[in-house]
Each structure stands twice: as C-alpha cells, then as structure tokens.
Amino acid sequence: AQSVTQLGSHVSVSEGALVLLRCNYSSSVPPYLFWYVQYPNQGLQLLLKYTTGATLVKGINGFEAEFKKSETSFHLTKPSAHMSDAAEYFCAVSEEGGSEKLVFGKGTKLTVNP
Amino acid sequence: NAGVTQTPKFQVLKTGQSMTLQCAQDMNHEYMSWYRQDPGMGLRLIHYSVGAGITDQGEVPNGYNVSRSTTEDFPLRLLSAAPSQTSVYFCASSYSRFETYEQYFGPGTRLTVT
C-alpha cells in the first residue's frame, strides 16, 4: 500500500530564506504525487502535482518540487519565503497511480518569521 | 461557480445523535470523496464515489454512511455519533474523465461530539 512520510511536523524559516519541506513516499506502482496547502480555517488547495513527464514541477506562489525516483522523494521548495506562505502543507500520493484516491502525509506546518 | 460547498460549518452533537453533513459541487465532477482531518494525522479517506449510484469505502469508514443519488451531492451520515468522530470533515471532488487528478476541497465542517 502506498504511504507518505513528511519529515518535520513543524518548520520555521525567516522571511526571504529558502523553504524546504520534505516528502518521501512508498509506492508499488509509478506514483502520482501532489502537494496541497491549507491556510488557517480553510480547505486544501493544490500547489502542484507530478503525474508523468518532467520531474521538476512548478506550482503556484513560486513553489516547485522535484520527483526523484531513486530517492523516492518529492520535496517542496521555494527560494525565498514570504509571510503569506505560513500554512500547513500536505504531500499526497495517488493510491493506485492514476486513481483519485489520495494517501496524505501528516502535514508540515510552516512558520515564517519576520 | 461556487465550487465545493459544505454545510454546516460548525456542529456540536451529543453522543448517540445522528446527523448528515452536506456536500455539493457545481462543476459536474464525477469523483467525490470525504476525508477527516485530525491533528497530527493528516487527512484520511472515509468514503468516495466515482459517479452517481456508486460508492465505496476508504481507510476509515466505520460509523459513517454515504449515498450518491445525483452527480452534484454527496452527503455523509453519522449514524450514532461518538466522541472519536470529533474532527474536521472535508469533502472533495475532481473531474476524473480527463485525468486531471486535481481535487477541489470544500471549506470543511468542524464537528464536536460531547
């Protein structure tokens, strides 16, 4: 069964610093991978996704992620953090490669300090 | 488009009471699902539906029922509420026909069972 591990339940960065949120997955089939963001008291919003093709995926708000099959990783990065990036971020893997059924990681809460 | 709507936003139940959480979408999406979000647990799939008249269980289905009589609506029923069902519930939908794999989430229902 697919699973997702997000390293670090809380990450704190300074405004302008690099954001790196880690995600490792296990999957028995070629994975479809996603990053979602949740702002306080809101639902989840898709940041970016990897299905096939280019392994470096660009998303909204300046975020990007790189699919590394050899490392079973899909880490999320942003070169320069902004105060508005403070939120909880969830990595997810499609349960059966093309399925809409998602398995989520436990989330990483990002704090951005002025 | 209103997207995915959920009602109510907040609900307090006593143990043993029943209720229905409403979810509707106006995007003609075939796939709809219910997740629950608990602190430190990420999101876990309760039930899902790939189209009207078709539903199936997710990871944590016990204590919940669903039905899908129309494409637009996917209500979640709690038959006899228990304190363990205190959680935030999210409904999501996606247009699976074109394999976009992007799920749209509603704003959530915060449920407390006393």
Side-chain angles (χ1 to χ4, degrees), chain B residues 25 39-40 45 47 49 52 54 61 69 71 82 84 91 94 110 112 114:
Chain B
Q25 52 89 11
L45 183 64
H47 285 285
S49 168
I54 306 169
S69 56
T71 299
S84 60
C91 179
S94 68
R110 187 173 295 272
T112 302
T114 62

Side-chain angles (χ1 to χ4, degrees), chain B residues 3 5 23-29 32 52 68-75 91:
Chain B
T5 58
C23 173
Q25 52 89 11
D26 62 357
M27 297 174 282
N28 201 30
H29 285 174
M32 296 185 74
R68 184 98 178 268
S69 56
T70 67
T71 299
E72 295 78 19
D73 300 298
F74 191 44
C91 179

Side-chain angles (χ1 to χ4, degrees), chain A residues 32 34 36 38 41-44 46 49 51 90 98-102 104-106, chain B residues 31 35 37 40-43 45 48 90 94 96 100-103 105-107 110:
Chain A
Y32 287 22
F34 307 83
Y36 282 85
Q38 184 181 33
N41 299 313
Q42 293 187 26
L44 278 70
L46 182 68
K49 65 183 178 186
T51 53
F90 293 92
S99 166
E100 284 87 354
K101 290 173 64 178
L102 298 180
F104 283 86
K106 295 184 178 181
Chain B
Y31 181 87
Y35 292 89
Q37 182 181 25
M41 300 290 289
L43 278 79
L45 183 64
Y48 66 98
F90 289 100
S94 68
S96 57
T100 63
Y101 305 112
E102 177 173 354
Q103 294 201 31
F105 282 79
R110 187 173 295 272

Side-chain angles (χ1 to χ4, degrees), chain A residues 2-57:
Chain A
Q2 279 76 352
S3 66
V4 175
T5 302
Q6 291 184 241
L7 297 177
S9 57
H10 290 84
V11 170
S12 182
V13 300
S14 298
E15 193 172 19
L18 171 72
V19 175
L20 170 60
L21 304 182
R22 299 178 187 272
C23 172
N24 289 87
Y25 68 91
S26 68
S27 176
S28 57
V29 297
Y32 287 22
L33 296 158
F34 307 83
W35 276 100
Y36 282 85
V37 60
Q38 184 181 33
Y39 298 103
N41 299 313
Q42 293 187 26
L44 278 70
Q45 179 183 4
L46 182 68
L47 266 182
L48 49 80
K49 65 183 178 186
Y50 168 79
T51 53
T52 58
T55 56
L56 181 63
V57 180

